[in-house]
Amino acid sequence: MIFIRSGVDGMVVGGTAGEDGLRSLDLRTDEAHSARIYDAVLGGKDNYAVDREAAAAMLREWPALPVHMRANRDFMHRAARYLAEEAGIRQFLDVGTGIPTSPNLHEVAQAVAPESRVVYVDNDPIVLAHSRALMAGTPEGSTAYVEADMRDPRAILDAPGFRDTLDPTEPIALCVIAIVHFMLDEDDAVGLVRQLLDPLPSGSYLAMSIGTADCAPDEIGRVAREYAARGMPMRLRDPEESLAFFEGLDLVAPGLVQVHHWHPDPAEIGTIDDADVGMYGALARKP
């Protein structure tokens, strides 16, 4: 059992047994979990036997899965750097944060602009248990963690951690990385993203990566079935469906592309096979 102490201003920091205000969290270590599977595929240590079994099954179906996952993570880094360096953004709202893996978004943004402010959002007790790593920002900037579900945008926007950290009158980058493929049609992922973006001012940005099976339909289809068999059904999208998230926004060149083609590091151009990356990515500005 993991114990967590609730912090001030909507933030949450790790605690230890015996402190006041502790509450226990059930991390469901007997069930595979998407964040821990991701960690296991990439050789991390924040996973359990059930997650490693799931990762092994998925790797048998699609050996390129680690390439795909690293490409997505690298896209997030490049998008955050572009937002801080080229677009001048100093406020970030990262929804569906996942298990912290350095460099995290605030580390990338604050390396460019130390005064950057970042709010991380997740509803997962696993992320909550690791949230201390998300609090270690620069003295000039600030970071906060909000425990909330993307399916309840109002809870995110009304959270003290959001209101006390970000200025809603100044542009904010909304980052939704590798999360909407776990949202089914009945969840209305496009509508939920819009509810988060609509209150943000002109000059804000939307950065997204969106799961697809277009590059390797058979292999990714089998991986999706492995997820579904463990209670994690997926909704993979084609380019037209992915572009729906950016309707009314001004796409930053090169538009919607596989994530490894979005502003790639020159040294990496041509090193990744398109068939190994099942993720579209784009960045767009709100007029």
Side-chain angles (χ1 to χ4, degrees):
M1 191 72 75
I2 301 294
F3 292 92
I4 295 295
R5 174 171 56 83
S6 294
V8 297
D9 297 331
M11 296 185 289
V12 182
V13 297
T16 57
E19 291 181 318
D20 293 337
L22 291 182
R23 62 186 182 85
S24 62
L25 289 177
D26 181 3
L27 298 187
R28 303 186 304 276
T29 59
D30 59 334
E31 301 175 7
H33 187 280
S34 59
R36 295 195 310 248
I37 293 170
Y38 182 97
D39 183 73
V41 168
L42 294 181
K45 298 179 180 179
D46 295 314
N47 55 75
Y48 299 95
V50 66
D51 308 300
R52 293 190 288 275
E53 181 278 327
M58 293 170 189
L59 285 165
R60 285 193 295 271
E61 300 296 350
W62 194 32
L65 191 56
V67 177
H68 157 87
M69 289 181 171
R70 290 192 188 98
N72 176 73
R73 187 75 183 172
D74 290 345
F75 164 77
M76 184 275 284
H77 294 155
R78 295 194 305 276
R81 190 174 301 110
Y82 178 95
L83 286 162
E85 202 166 60
E86 303 295 330
I89 295 294
R90 298 295 179 263
Q91 303 191 110
F92 298 80
L93 176 61
D94 183 27
V95 180
T97 298
I99 294 175
T101 303
S102 187
N104 294 294
L105 191 151
H106 73 275
E107 295 173 283
V108 176
Q110 291 177 350
V112 175
E115 69 274 23
S116 296
R117 301 187 297 279
V118 179
V119 172
Y120 292 105
V121 179
D122 212 298
N123 70 332
D124 194 322
I126 293 166
V127 181
L128 182 62
H130 291 275
S131 60
R132 185 189 295 273
L134 299 172
M135 300 297 106
T138 60
E140 302 93 330
S142 58
T143 63
Y145 182 88
V146 172
E147 186 182 11
D149 195 318
M150 183 176 169
R151 294 174 180 84
D152 188 358
R154 199 68 256 165
I156 296 172
L157 298 172
D158 288 343
F162 173 85
R163 291 187 283 104
D164 295 346
T165 306
L166 304 184
D167 180 354
T169 67
E170 295 294 328
I172 296 171
L174 170 61
C175 303
V176 185
I177 304 298
I179 186 67
V180 295
H181 54 272
F182 288 114
M183 306 184 79
L184 305 182
D185 288 341
E186 55 264 34
D187 295 315
D188 184 21
V190 172
L192 292 172
V193 170
R194 187 59 54 177
Q195 288 179 60
L196 288 167
L197 188 64
D198 281 350
L200 306 185
S202 174
S204 294
Y205 281 80
L206 173 62
M208 289 189 71
S209 62
I210 302 161
T212 184
D214 290 352
C215 64
D218 294 338
E219 294 86 345
I220 296 178
R222 293 195 297 269
V223 170
R225 285 194 290 274
E226 293 289 344
Y227 272 106
R230 293 164 175 81
M232 296 170 277
M234 303 179 80
R235 172 66 165 87
L236 301 167
R237 292 172 170 84
D238 62 24
E240 183 178 357
E241 293 168 321
S242 298
L243 282 169
F245 288 98
F246 301 95
E247 184 176 351
L249 306 178
D250 298 327
L251 283 164
V252 173
L256 182 82
V257 293
Q258 284 177 282
V259 288
H260 61 297
H261 290 305
W262 196 89
H263 292 245
D265 183 327
E268 296 180 355
I269 294 175
T271 64
I272 299 175
D273 191 328
D274 288 353
D276 291 345
V277 180
M279 198 76 75
Y280 291 123
L283 181 66
R285 183 182 183 276
K286 183 177 179 179

